[in-house]
Amino acid sequence: LNSSPNPYEGGDVNIGLETLTEDWKYYISCYGKGPSIVVVDNHLLPLLKFGIPNPSLRLYLYLILSGAMYKLMVNSGVYSSYLTLNDKKVSVATEEIERDLHRSLPNHELFSNINSPGIDSLRKILTAYSWRNPCVGYCQSTNIIAAALLLIFGRRTNLKGVNKKEGVKNKWNLDKAVEENVFWMLVSIIEDRAIEYYDTSMVGSIVDQQILEQMVKIYLPELYNHLTELKIPLGLVTLPWLLCLFISYLGKSSLSTNNASSNDNNNNNNNNDGKEQDGIKEEEEEEEGEGLETTLRVLDVFLYEGTSALWKLCLGILYQNQKLILSHSDPDKLIPFFKDLTFSYPAPPP
């Protein structure tokens, strides 16, 4: 940012972590931090596309970009009141939530069974939202989003002094403050970013799906015609991507217990307490796996750009896998194939 020419213009993918970290510090030094930070489009968006260099900065930016920080500031205690005032009440939404809790990232240790430490927090967040917004109540895929946000906000960024042998709970902090952050993040995503994606009409997601189909028809006509000939509706493939914000579709293995546990060994020797400098806490970022990193990169841009970021990613995935898709002529084999599509970030434009 503080150079000419700007290294972020033109898609230079060779920018190192040190340069990226310094440019984030420069942005914060210029435009402030906290709720009063100034969002400057032509500086912030390129940085987001190249990634957020550490977990603490990511959490802070997610709250700012989504608007959740401001909602939390003016609604102190509201999350708890939703739970207290509706304690023990039962609705269609709460019954659906109970049925879906064990389906929310079930391969991850936080949600692997009904007694896992993340299940109760997930239940409270989804239940509170169902009472806040009866027009939505509960919609499948919001459980996946809320579960992923709990992973992002609940992971301890500094594991120094934590006894891993005592169990999974020591690796996670799922206290009330984390739940509140995740709740207001979910509110912002449903009500401000993916508007009318999750209400009963789902009109927002239907409209966006139609827009995406037109974009595929324009930019990837051969692929579009191929799917049409095979009578495979594009929405059958891409609508779940949109509704889940690609969570659990990019890098499924990175959201599993095995991957999370194996990475703990890498953090046992982390003796860095972290230092605050220019608004960025310098700490050793945990290696969560390429898949989760890709999922985080999607959320980084989605929280800033909204659903248009999802269309671009859909096009990128289809573009990168176009040859493989065109090589399949059997619909019964092609539909399962879509579930295993991969995406390397960043993708060349179609």
Side-chain angles (χ1 to χ4, degrees), residues 173-221:
N173 172 27
L174 301 180
D175 60 14
K176 179 184 171 184
V178 169
E179 287 181 9
E180 272 195 304
N181 284 337
V182 172
F183 172 76
W184 290 110
M185 284 289 302
L186 188 66
V187 170
S188 296
I189 287 171
I190 294 175
E191 299 176 10
D192 301 330
R193 288 294 179 269
I195 299 172
E196 294 186 286
Y197 262 47
Y198 307 104
D199 62 12
T200 52
S201 70
M202 297 181 70
V203 65
S205 58
I206 292 170
V207 169
D208 280 0
Q209 177 59 42
Q210 292 176 344
I211 293 171
L212 176 59
E213 287 192 20
Q214 290 302 310
M215 294 174 72
V216 172
K217 189 175 182 179
I218 293 169
Y219 293 107
L220 302 170

Side-chain angles (χ1 to χ4, degrees), residues 61-69 71 125-126 129 132-133 136 139-150 152-153 180-199 204-205 208 241-247 295-296 298-308 310:
L61 286 170
Y62 277 17
L63 291 170
I64 290 287
L65 295 175
S66 67
M69 179 178 288
K71 287 180 170 61
I125 291 165
L126 294 173
Y129 188 80
R132 168 188 167 84
N133 190 345
V136 172
C139 178
Q140 283 186 331
S141 72
T142 57
N143 60 318
I144 302 296
I145 296 170
L149 290 172
L150 277 170
I152 296 167
F153 279 82
E180 272 195 304
N181 284 337
V182 172
F183 172 76
W184 290 110
M185 284 289 302
L186 188 66
V187 170
S188 296
I189 287 171
I190 294 175
E191 299 176 10
D192 301 330
R193 288 294 179 269
I195 299 172
E196 294 186 286
Y197 262 47
Y198 307 104
D199 62 12
S205 58
D208 280 0
W241 296 351
L242 297 177
L243 291 174
C244 288
L245 312 182
F246 288 93
I247 297 165
T295 300
L296 291 172
V298 175
L299 291 176
D300 294 349
V301 181
F302 164 75
L303 291 173
Y304 180 81
E305 284 193 333
T307 54
S308 65
L310 304 180

Side-chain angles (χ1 to χ4, degrees), residues 226-227 230 232 237 324-325 327-341:
H226 182 65
L227 295 179
L230 295 178
I232 299 177
V237 176
L324 288 173
I325 295 170
S327 69
H328 285 72
S329 56
D330 184 350
D332 293 334
K333 293 181 180 179
L334 183 55
I335 293 174
F337 168 78
F338 275 109
K339 296 180 181 179
D340 297 318
L341 288 182

